[in-house]
Amino acid sequence: MHQHFPHLIDLDNYPVSTWNSIINLAIDIKRNQHIYVGACNGRIMATLFYEPSTRTQMSFQSAMLRLGGGIIGFDNPATSSVAKGESIKDTTKIASSYSDIVVMRHFIEGSVKAAALTADCPVVNAGDGGHLHPTQTLTDLLTLRAEKGALSGLTVGFCGDLKNGRTVHSLLKALSHYENNKFVLISTDELKVPTYIKDRITAYGKEYIEVNSLEEAIPQLDVLYMTRIQRERFGSPEEYEKQKNVFCLDKRKMKAAKKDMIVLHPLPRVDEIALDVDDDPRALYFKQANYGMYVRMSLILSILNEDIQTQPLLVGENIPEIKCHNPKCITASEPSLPHSFRNNNGILECEFCDERILTEQCRFI
Amino acid sequence: MHQHFPHLIDLDNYPVSTWNSIINLAIDIKRNQHIYVGACNGRIMATLFYEPSTRTQMSFQSAMLRLGGGIIGFDNPATSSVAKGESIKDTTKIASSYSDIVVMRHFIEGSVKAAALTADCPVVNAGDGGHLHPTQTLTDLLTLRAEKGALSGLTVGFCGDLKNGRTVHSLLKALSHYENNKFVLISTDELKVPTYIKDRITAYGKEYIEVNSLEEAIPQLDVLYMTRIQRERFGSPEEYEKQKNVFCLDKRKMKAAKKDMIVLHPLPRVDEIALDVDDDPRALYFKQANYGMYVRMSLILSILNEDIQTQPLLVGENIPEIKCHNPKCITASEPSLPHSFRNNNGILECEFCDERILTEQCRFI
Amino acid sequence: MHQHFPHLIDLDNYPVSTWNSIINLAIDIKRNQHIYVGACNGRIMATLFYEPSTRTQMSFQSAMLRLGGGIIGFDNPATSSVAKGESIKDTTKIASSYSDIVVMRHFIEGSVKAAALTADCPVVNAGDGGHLHPTQTLTDLLTLRAEKGALSGLTVGFCGDLKNGRTVHSLLKALSHYENNKFVLISTDELKVPTYIKDRITAYGKEYIEVNSLEEAIPQLDVLYMTRIQRERFGSPEEYEKQKNVFCLDKRKMKAAKKDMIVLHPLPRVDEIALDVDDDPRALYFKQANYGMYVRMSLILSILNEDIQTQPLLVGENIPEIKCHNPKCITASEPSLPHSFRNNNGILECEFCDERILTEQCRFI
């Protein structure tokens, strides 16, 4: 039943050597673009965006067009068959039969993996709810590699909402795989990095410190990764206004930073980076967005050329009597999916959304 | 005034030999795709979707891209000039001057033929209200031809809402042109095939029977064509729930079917085919959707290569004093159109929506 | 800070010789299309439509596709990152880094120039509010040149809402640059051409007369340029119905026109041109729309080949203490923009929206 294609659902499904290959190819594509013109002639990419994301979609589309391929898809489910009640499975099954690669974004966690189970071509996760967004992480890695020369030996500051940002979690996990990286986690007490991420940093032998002042942290950083702090995460509008100044980057704070520190941001920004920072040569967030196009060119090419090893989508056990507890998990809305769990030292992890259940808890369900 | 292009508005405008040519070319394209890459280089298709239909639109778009052509158009009239009150004529006239072929879907019956009257390039009907959808019928014919080896000698069951389904009516009419086909019409009494379609089956010397149990009918079928039964067609939710079981296909009912019976469905399905049928090798509805891409490649190529004989759009008489009775007909909303009727043994047939009026009735209008 | 690319924001930024080059190239492209197939292979155009305009967008898209290029972009800001509160600057900055040319339409005056200030590629203005729409003017010039043989020696009538129509103002200004043109301005007293436009006509030594009857004016015209009269411009529905007949073109009024007069309209029309005029060979508004595609092919090619001389976007003075008075100006919504003004004989002209302020007035602000 399961198709075998080199899907990209989660970076963790692939060894670090595969990440490095994708990044290296991206660097070559950026340097020698003319060689890759037409590399995907006659191939078709379907961009199925159940949730709008102009930047991600344009980035994938320009990547495919620069390789010579064509694009079909939708960005507005309200004007698509989805509105007629068609299931994700049926829509993606058909779209995948029209195309050579599917890029999918959906607001339900695990939905892209579920779609990949029955797709007729490789599927790339362009964001599944608050869960994963692997091509953003690849973009960040490429930017660091190209601009700092290496993915190791870096002191990287993360600032903003570190509790809810999937981008931050993924990049922390990814950078923990490389040597001698240190992390400075800059946030309010309420918006700290979750424990399971910090455990992973430690498990890979890396160090982190937690601070609550951007101003104090900035002088030691090689990289400052800013993220949006959503107004609604704060107790009150007054609290937001107060904290904003502490966690927003401006020209004045930049003065204390190293001459070769770089500032990144996954975008869109609202007001956590003042406009006057844009003209600072260390402000690389727009360039970072541009690297996103090159890393997606590399990914598309690697997948279509089958340079990426196909990985099984589900490796755990189907336990019909246990249900994932996460109400945002795709298994909650598509009952025909297997209840597939990895058993991780007595903790069951849902293979769609990575939600963890203690096996002891399961007995009482 | 009338432009002469090989439009495809209604399959009935073309002889069966033209249908067969399109189907044969589609089979060759599927087998020898590499030959057709670039066959439409530099050509442009406009997809004007006044009503969303993701699958049909993606199917046409991937077809054109695979032939090397480009695509313009819209799928959301709310964000188009249509919202500024521009007439169908003006919008399609201009779009047709930018492109080499127009594919149009609209919720008003006869609207695509009306657009073709003044278009500057060939126009393909991708669905005009509940009226016609000729490329779905071509898709169905290609699937039968490719999967059953022939379009004749088949016992074809149609199940579901046979009263309102334009797909069913078109396919019944089309298959009546081929030798030795028999039809098993499976529906509730309220949702039977209309008399004028049954008359046409008989006129072509073909047989049909009407039954109201899918379970009893299934063993004799070579093909089972399932269709959606809309909840709102039933008297009450209770009635729907009761009938649903009778007219829905599941794994159990499949057991009684022939080993080589195939199951088709125009899609989207809701719950008239259980998900557990998807894994049965006889379930071909997803493959059928894929055939739709090939038949559209064949159609686009045949039209752009002018391999299809141009047919006049209007062959009847303009009778200004008679108005079509159908409120959903395009002549009801665009007053400048001719009141054009075919005279069929004393019955006037509107040339836009095929509504019939007894000439005796006309005298009293 | 300012990037140097050959943007097209305002035709006035370029000498008439550049207009003529674009028009001449368009004529050659229309005649020898096969030469230009593939001229933009591998190049990407982003169409950023913050306001829907199907015709303009399809025209740009078909132009780029006919040259072999690809297209990314959006036409529905409600389903784009804009909905997440991203600024015009950030969105266009990123889109411009993915593409080789950006085509932008926005409802705020001066917004396209503002975007061009920080874009990473050339930007074309496809309409900024009620301000400018230079490719419509190029379309009109090409149509006149191709259909009347020259852009000089013409008696051109403009009919409809001459007060608010940016298309009319731009074409009047443009035609004033060519020899021996005369203008007949046909409107109600309330909807006359503004004084500053009439001053410009006179400054270039051209003549105009103002009349209020299309019927009386029509016999002397070489060209009749019709425009939409919006219902809401009239005092009452009754007033509208009365005036409509005076300023609408129909078959009867066409009888009084010269045999070689041509009728143009920027479209969409509502009912200011009766449908029965469409079949008159002098009705060229649909052909005019088609010329729009060729002039855009020419423009895209000229920009990408750098055949157009790059012009500075801002040439005036940044006067922080003075604010543009126009509430629809982009400087009212994006506070970080410079307050840049041209000093024109004691009148300050905003460099974004062209609003004029008397310098004496400024003292009191």
Side-chain angles (χ1 to χ4, degrees):
Chain A
M1 167 194 168
H2 297 169
Q3 309 285 333
H4 294 294
F5 296 108
H7 308 292
L8 175 59
I9 306 302
D10 182 350
L11 272 188
D12 278 357
N13 298 150
Y14 292 95
V16 176
S17 60
T18 300
W19 312 354
N20 291 335
S21 303
I22 294 170
I23 291 165
N24 289 335
L25 179 59
I27 287 171
D28 193 59
I29 291 173
K30 189 167 153 65
R31 273 199 204 124
N32 305 296
Q33 282 197 57
H34 59 284
I35 298 179
Y36 298 92
V37 170
C40 293
N41 268 350
R43 314 301 286 270
I44 292 176
M45 179 171 81
T47 54
L48 310 183
F49 276 58
Y50 285 81
E51 177 185 67
S53 178
T54 311
R55 197 175 326 89
T56 303
Q57 193 172 11
M58 289 199 299
S59 167
F60 270 108
Q61 292 180 338
S62 56
M64 188 56 166
L65 289 170
R66 285 189 188 279
L67 294 167
I71 298 153
I72 61 169
F74 57 82
D75 59 2
N76 189 356
T79 63
S80 80
S81 298
V82 181
K84 294 189 200 166
E86 189 168 69
S87 70
I88 296 174
K89 175 186 172 176
D90 285 14
T91 303
T92 54
K93 177 86 182 160
I94 296 162
S96 70
S97 91
Y98 295 158
S99 46
D100 300 293
I101 184 167
V102 162
V103 174
M104 177 173 163
R105 187 185 188 97
H106 201 289
F107 46 89
I108 300 180
E109 301 180 13
S111 54
V112 182
K113 182 180 267 192
L117 284 176
T118 48
D120 289 330
C121 74
V123 174
V124 173
N125 185 356
D128 60 331
H131 183 223
L132 297 167
H133 189 7
T135 60
Q136 178 66 51
T137 308
L138 286 172
T139 298
D140 297 341
L141 293 175
L142 170 59
T143 307
L144 290 173
R145 172 75 159 64
E147 296 291 332
K148 301 303 293 180
L151 287 166
S152 53
L154 299 172
T155 299
V156 184
F158 289 86
C159 178
D161 178 354
L162 307 186
K163 183 180 175 197
N164 303 288
R166 66 180 169 193
T167 321
V168 168
H169 302 175
S170 297
L171 186 54
L172 276 169
K173 291 195 295 177
L175 285 176
S176 296
H177 285 273
Y178 295 89
E179 292 311 302
N180 299 319
N181 290 323
K182 286 195 290 190
F183 307 111
V184 181
L185 309 175
I186 310 155
S187 71
T188 64
D189 286 346
E190 293 76 28
L191 296 176
K192 279 184 173 176
V193 170
T195 308
Y196 75 95
I197 301 285
K198 290 189 284 202
D199 289 350
R200 180 126 165 203
I201 296 172
T202 314
Y204 281 95
K206 303 301 174 307
E207 288 169 29
Y208 65 86
I209 52 166
E210 297 185 291
V211 302
N212 49 32
S213 163
L214 174 54
E215 193 146 19
E216 286 172 33
I218 207 167
Q220 63 187 301
L221 305 178
D222 298 314
V223 178
L224 171 57
Y225 197 99
M226 294 293 298
T227 64
R228 201 171 146 195
I229 320 171
Q230 291 182 299
R231 237 163 251 258
E232 52 274 27
R233 302 286 185 206
F234 292 90
S236 65
E238 296 75 36
E239 187 65 16
Y240 171 75
E241 287 304 320
K242 213 171 68 188
Q243 299 282 3
K244 211 182 71 173
N245 291 329
V246 182
F247 297 101
C248 287
L249 183 65
D250 55 22
K251 216 169 173 170
R252 200 183 51 75
K253 292 199 186 88
M254 284 297 284
K255 283 194 184 136
K258 289 186 190 171
K259 289 268 171 288
D260 65 348
M261 184 194 79
I262 63 173
V263 183
L264 304 185
H265 190 300
L267 304 179
R269 67 156 156 197
V270 181
D271 49 15
E272 59 279 2
I273 300 180
L275 287 171
D276 59 14
V277 177
D278 293 2
D279 297 325
D280 191 305
R282 295 169 291 182
L284 289 194
Y285 28 91
F286 292 124
K287 197 169 182 190
Q288 176 189 8
N290 187 240
Y291 279 117
M293 181 180 77
Y294 291 106
V295 97
R296 289 176 179 108
M297 289 175 77
S298 169
L299 178 68
I300 293 167
L301 201 55
S302 300
I303 288 176
L304 291 181
N305 286 350
E306 297 175 47
D307 289 338
I308 291 182
Q309 202 76 32
T310 295
Q311 304 291 336
L313 286 165
L314 300 177
V315 296
E317 197 186 347
N318 184 3
I319 316 176
E321 66 274 20
I322 299 181
K323 273 196 69 169
C324 173
H325 296 186
N326 177 5
K328 294 180 189 164
C329 178
I330 185 69
T331 56
S333 52
E334 299 236 339
S336 69
L337 290 170
H339 293 188
S340 192
F341 296 92
R342 285 180 300 264
N343 192 326
N344 200 342
N345 297 321
I347 294 171
L348 292 183
E349 289 176 354
C350 171
E351 287 212 274
F352 291 95
C353 74
D354 295 314
E355 177 85 1
R356 282 158 305 161
I357 316 173
L358 289 172
T359 44
E360 291 179 14
Q361 267 185 286
C362 301
R363 302 224 174 87
F364 305 101
I365 295 159
Chain B
M1 164 191 171
H2 297 170
Q3 310 283 334
H4 293 296
F5 295 108
H7 308 292
L8 175 59
I9 307 302
D10 181 350
L11 272 188
D12 279 357
N13 299 149
Y14 292 96
V16 175
S17 60
T18 300
W19 312 354
N20 290 336
S21 303
I22 294 169
I23 292 164
N24 289 336
L25 178 59
I27 288 172
D28 193 59
I29 291 173
K30 188 167 153 65
R31 273 198 204 125
N32 304 296
Q33 283 197 55
H34 59 284
I35 299 179
Y36 297 91
V37 170
C40 294
N41 267 351
R43 315 301 287 270
I44 292 177
M45 179 171 80
T47 54
L48 310 182
F49 276 58
Y50 285 81
E51 178 185 65
S53 178
T54 310
R55 196 172 327 89
T56 302
Q57 193 172 10
M58 289 200 299
S59 166
F60 270 107
Q61 292 180 338
S62 56
M64 188 55 165
L65 290 170
R66 285 188 188 278
L67 294 167
I71 298 155
I72 61 170
F74 58 82
D75 59 1
N76 189 357
T79 63
S80 80
S81 299
V82 181
K84 295 190 201 165
E86 189 169 69
S87 70
I88 296 174
K89 175 186 172 178
D90 286 13
T91 303
T92 55
K93 177 87 182 162
I94 295 161
S96 70
S97 91
Y98 294 157
S99 48
D100 300 293
I101 185 167
V102 162
V103 174
M104 177 173 163
R105 188 185 187 97
H106 200 288
F107 47 88
I108 299 180
E109 300 181 13
S111 54
V112 183
K113 181 179 267 192
L117 285 175
T118 48
D120 289 330
C121 74
V123 174
V124 172
N125 186 355
D128 59 333
H131 183 223
L132 297 167
H133 189 8
T135 60
Q136 178 65 52
T137 308
L138 286 172
T139 298
D140 297 341
L141 293 175
L142 170 59
T143 308
L144 290 173
R145 172 76 157 65
E147 296 291 333
K148 301 304 293 181
L151 287 165
S152 52
L154 300 171
T155 299
V156 185
F158 290 85
C159 178
D161 178 354
L162 308 187
K163 185 181 172 194
N164 302 289
R166 68 180 168 192
T167 320
V168 168
H169 301 175
S170 296
L171 186 55
L172 275 170
K173 290 196 295 179
L175 285 175
S176 295
H177 284 273
Y178 295 88
E179 292 311 301
N180 299 318
N181 289 324
K182 286 195 290 192
F183 307 111
V184 182
L185 309 175
I186 310 154
S187 71
T188 64
D189 286 346
E190 294 75 26
L191 295 175
K192 279 184 174 177
V193 170
T195 308
Y196 75 96
I197 301 285
K198 291 189 284 201
D199 289 350
R200 180 125 165 206
I201 297 172
T202 314
Y204 281 94
K206 303 300 176 308
E207 286 169 31
Y208 65 87
I209 53 166
E210 297 184 291
V211 302
N212 48 31
S213 162
L214 173 54
E215 193 147 18
E216 286 173 32
I218 207 167
Q220 62 187 302
L221 304 178
D222 299 314
V223 178
L224 171 57
Y225 198 98
M226 295 293 298
T227 64
R228 200 172 148 193
I229 319 171
Q230 293 182 300
R231 237 164 252 258
E232 53 273 28
R233 304 286 186 205
F234 291 91
S236 65
E238 297 74 38
E239 187 66 17
Y240 171 75
E241 287 304 320
K242 214 170 68 187
Q243 300 282 1
K244 212 181 70 171
N245 292 328
V246 183
F247 297 102
C248 287
L249 184 64
D250 56 21
K251 216 168 173 172
R252 201 184 51 75
K253 291 198 187 91
M254 284 298 284
K255 284 193 184 137
K258 290 185 189 174
K259 289 268 172 287
D260 64 349
M261 184 194 79
I262 63 173
V263 184
L264 304 185
H265 191 301
L267 305 177
R269 68 160 156 192
V270 182
D271 50 13
E272 60 279 4
I273 300 181
L275 286 171
D276 59 13
V277 177
D278 293 3
D279 297 325
D280 191 305
R282 295 168 292 182
L284 289 192
Y285 28 91
F286 292 122
K287 196 168 182 190
Q288 177 189 6
N290 188 241
Y291 279 117
M293 181 181 76
Y294 290 105
V295 96
R296 288 175 179 110
M297 289 176 78
S298 168
L299 178 68
I300 293 166
L301 201 54
S302 301
I303 286 176
L304 291 181
N305 287 349
E306 295 174 49
D307 289 339
I308 290 182
Q309 201 75 33
T310 295
Q311 304 291 335
L313 285 165
L314 300 178
V315 297
E317 198 186 347
N318 184 3
I319 317 177
E321 66 274 21
I322 299 180
K323 274 196 69 168
C324 174
H325 295 187
N326 177 5
K328 294 179 189 165
C329 178
I330 185 68
T331 57
S333 52
E334 298 238 340
S336 70
L337 289 171
H339 294 186
S340 191
F341 296 92
R342 286 179 300 265
N343 192 327
N344 200 341
N345 296 321
I347 294 171
L348 292 183
E349 289 176 355
C350 171
E351 286 211 275
F352 290 95
C353 73
D354 295 315
E355 177 85 1
R356 282 157 306 159
I357 315 172
L358 287 172
T359 44
E360 289 181 15
Q361 270 185 284
C362 302
R363 304 228 171 87
F364 304 102
I365 295 160
Chain C
M1 167 191 167
H2 296 169
Q3 309 284 335
H4 293 294
F5 296 108
H7 308 291
L8 176 58
I9 307 302
D10 182 350
L11 271 188
D12 279 359
N13 299 149
Y14 292 97
V16 175
S17 60
T18 300
W19 311 355
N20 290 336
S21 303
I22 295 169
I23 292 164
N24 288 336
L25 178 59
I27 287 172
D28 193 59
I29 291 173
K30 189 167 153 66
R31 272 197 204 126
N32 304 297
Q33 282 197 56
H34 58 285
I35 298 179
Y36 298 91
V37 170
C40 295
N41 268 351
R43 314 302 286 271
I44 292 178
M45 180 170 80
T47 54
L48 310 183
F49 276 59
Y50 285 82
E51 177 185 67
S53 177
T54 311
R55 196 175 325 90
T56 302
Q57 193 172 11
M58 289 199 299
S59 168
F60 270 108
Q61 292 180 337
S62 56
M64 188 57 165
L65 290 170
R66 285 188 188 280
L67 294 168
I71 296 153
I72 61 170
F74 57 82
D75 59 1
N76 190 357
T79 64
S80 80
S81 298
V82 182
K84 294 189 201 166
E86 188 168 69
S87 70
I88 295 174
K89 175 186 172 178
D90 285 14
T91 303
T92 55
K93 177 85 181 162
I94 296 161
S96 70
S97 91
Y98 294 157
S99 47
D100 300 292
I101 184 168
V102 161
V103 174
M104 178 174 162
R105 188 185 188 98
H106 201 290
F107 46 88
I108 300 181
E109 301 181 13
S111 54
V112 183
K113 180 180 269 194
L117 284 175
T118 47
D120 288 331
C121 74
V123 175
V124 173
N125 186 355
D128 59 333
H131 182 222
L132 296 167
H133 189 7
T135 61
Q136 178 65 51
T137 308
L138 286 172
T139 299
D140 297 340
L141 293 175
L142 170 60
T143 308
L144 290 174
R145 170 78 157 64
E147 295 291 332
K148 302 303 294 181
L151 286 165
S152 53
L154 299 173
T155 299
V156 185
F158 289 85
C159 177
D161 178 354
L162 307 187
K163 184 179 173 198
N164 303 288
R166 67 179 168 194
T167 321
V168 168
H169 301 175
S170 297
L171 186 54
L172 275 170
K173 290 196 294 178
L175 285 175
S176 295
H177 285 273
Y178 295 90
E179 292 310 301
N180 299 318
N181 290 324
K182 286 194 291 192
F183 307 112
V184 182
L185 309 175
I186 310 155
S187 72
T188 64
D189 286 346
E190 294 76 27
L191 296 175
K192 278 184 175 178
V193 170
T195 308
Y196 75 96
I197 300 285
K198 289 189 285 202
D199 289 349
R200 179 124 167 206
I201 296 172
T202 313
Y204 282 95
K206 303 299 175 310
E207 288 169 29
Y208 66 86
I209 52 167
E210 296 184 291
V211 301
N212 50 31
S213 163
L214 173 55
E215 193 147 19
E216 286 171 33
I218 207 167
Q220 62 188 300
L221 305 177
D222 298 315
V223 178
L224 172 57
Y225 198 98
M226 295 294 298
T227 64
R228 202 171 146 195
I229 320 171
Q230 292 183 300
R231 237 165 252 258
E232 52 274 28
R233 303 285 185 205
F234 291 91
S236 66
E238 296 75 38
E239 187 65 19
Y240 172 74
E241 286 304 319
K242 214 170 70 187
Q243 298 283 1
K244 212 182 72 172
N245 292 329
V246 182
F247 297 101
C248 287
L249 184 65
D250 56 21
K251 215 169 173 172
R252 200 184 51 76
K253 291 198 188 87
M254 283 297 284
K255 283 195 184 135
K258 288 186 189 173
K259 289 268 171 289
D260 65 348
M261 184 194 78
I262 63 173
V263 184
L264 304 185
H265 190 300
L267 303 178
R269 67 158 157 194
V270 181
D271 49 14
E272 60 279 3
I273 300 180
L275 286 171
D276 58 14
V277 176
D278 293 3
D279 297 325
D280 190 306
R282 295 169 293 182
L284 289 194
Y285 28 91
F286 292 123
K287 197 168 182 189
Q288 176 189 6
N290 187 242
Y291 278 118
M293 180 181 77
Y294 290 106
V295 97
R296 288 175 179 108
M297 289 176 78
S298 168
L299 177 69
I300 293 167
L301 201 54
S302 301
I303 287 176
L304 291 181
N305 286 350
E306 296 175 46
D307 290 338
I308 290 182
Q309 201 77 31
T310 295
Q311 304 291 335
L313 285 166
L314 300 177
V315 296
E317 197 185 348
N318 184 3
I319 316 175
E321 66 274 20
I322 299 181
K323 274 196 69 169
C324 174
H325 296 187
N326 178 5
K328 294 180 188 163
C329 178
I330 185 70
T331 57
S333 52
E334 299 237 339
S336 69
L337 289 171
H339 293 187
S340 192
F341 297 92
R342 285 180 299 263
N343 192 326
N344 200 340
N345 296 321
I347 294 171
L348 293 183
E349 289 177 355
C350 171
E351 287 212 274
F352 290 95
C353 74
D354 296 314
E355 178 85 1
R356 282 158 306 162
I357 315 174
L358 287 172
T359 45
E360 292 180 15
Q361 269 186 284
C362 300
R363 302 221 175 93
F364 305 102
I365 294 158

